[in-house]
Amino acid sequence: GIADAAAPRSSARSWREEITEAAQAAAASDADVLASGDTPIHPARIYGELNRILDDDAVVIGDGGDFVSYAGKYVEPKHPGQWLDPGPFGCLGTAMGYSIAARLARPSSQVVTLMGDGAAGFSLMDVDTLVRHRLPVVMVCGNNGIWGLEKAPMQMLYGYDVAAELSPQTRYDEVVRALGGGGELVTDPDGIAPALRRAFDSGVPYLVNIATDPGNVYPRKTMGV
């Protein structure tokens, strides 16, 4: 009877060890891409730098396609309630609403909003609300100049894409500055960390607009099909 009772616990322990080893192996395999020195910038490098700066109680908000898919892979919240996104069937444009709510709910925590450049076009004007109500939020825009989550599946399925291009390196940071916040454009991977530190230290809504590689597509097996 004692042996039978111990078996499930032993099995669970073995399973936990197996999962821990798999997680460690996955993290080790990601080390190179998180430190990538590629130019144009690999999106994963942004998360390699951001993870070093995030506090344990940081709230991270995702609003985008390919860029936020990378965030889902590389950003690991430490506690419940620290990750917000519109879900797999949600709509782009939730970034500013979520940012306002998170800043009010967690006044002493870092609030970081991750946007693709497509998503930025939906709600960026609401930075005006952040500015008027003195709600500092760090925004990071992965700016690859395309609708990445649409372009890649169209190319895979049809060999061409339609209406999937955006203007390269659009200065969304200047929009935020015009509305009373702060911001800058980053084109060199070594400039990411200093720009993020300036954003967190600024005390205002601040957009780090990072030009990423449009040829770097988040690896999907089905492309949503």
Side-chain angles (χ1 to χ4, degrees):
I2 295 175
D4 291 340
R9 286 194 289 272
S10 175
S11 177
R13 185 163 49 249
S14 174
W15 179 80
R16 286 196 301 270
E17 291 170 356
E18 183 180 343
I19 293 299
T20 299
E21 290 173 3
Q24 291 171 343
S29 69
D30 291 334
D32 287 345
V33 72
L34 290 170
S36 171
D38 291 352
T39 302
I41 294 169
H42 192 300
R45 172 66 183 270
I46 298 169
Y47 296 115
E49 301 295 349
L50 182 62
N51 282 331
R52 295 188 181 95
I53 298 174
L54 288 179
D55 295 335
D56 284 353
D57 65 344
V59 178
V60 181
I61 295 161
D63 186 13
D66 259 31
F67 185 58
V68 175
S69 295
Y70 277 106
K73 179 176 176 65
Y74 295 124
V75 177
E76 188 66 41
K78 300 296 191 297
H79 306 284
Q82 291 181 228
W83 173 270
L84 293 169
D85 68 40
F89 299 109
C91 298
L92 296 184
T94 59
M96 292 302 102
Y98 284 10
S99 298
I100 293 165
R103 172 47 68 218
L104 292 173
R106 304 281 181 87
S108 62
S109 299
Q110 293 172 331
V111 176
V112 186
T113 295
L114 310 169
M115 297 181 287
D117 46 345
F122 279 79
S123 68
L124 199 60
M125 284 301 293
D126 272 333
V127 166
D128 173 68
T129 305
L130 293 173
V131 170
R132 283 187 291 106
H133 292 275
R134 297 183 175 87
L135 303 173
V137 170
V138 171
M139 295 161 279
V140 181
C141 180
N143 189 342
N144 61 2
I146 58 172
W147 290 99
L149 195 54
E150 286 69 39
K151 185 180 180 72
M154 282 192 279
Q155 285 285 346
M156 183 193 74
L157 291 170
Y158 310 119
Y160 65 90
D161 59 85
V162 177
E165 302 292 330
L166 295 166
S167 298
Q169 296 190 21
T170 296
R171 296 302 300 269
Y172 301 104
D173 55 297
E174 292 188 354
V175 174
V176 174
R177 290 168 58 192
L179 292 171
E184 59 187 283
L185 175 67
V186 178
T187 58
D188 186 315
D190 291 334
I192 297 170
L196 290 173
R197 285 193 290 269
R198 285 189 289 271
F200 281 108
D201 292 342
S202 70
V204 299
Y206 197 108
L207 177 64
V208 182
N209 185 17
I210 304 176
T212 60
D213 184 1
N216 190 294
V217 177
Y218 185 78
R220 293 179 177 83
K221 293 182 179 179
T222 65
M223 293 296 185
V225 178

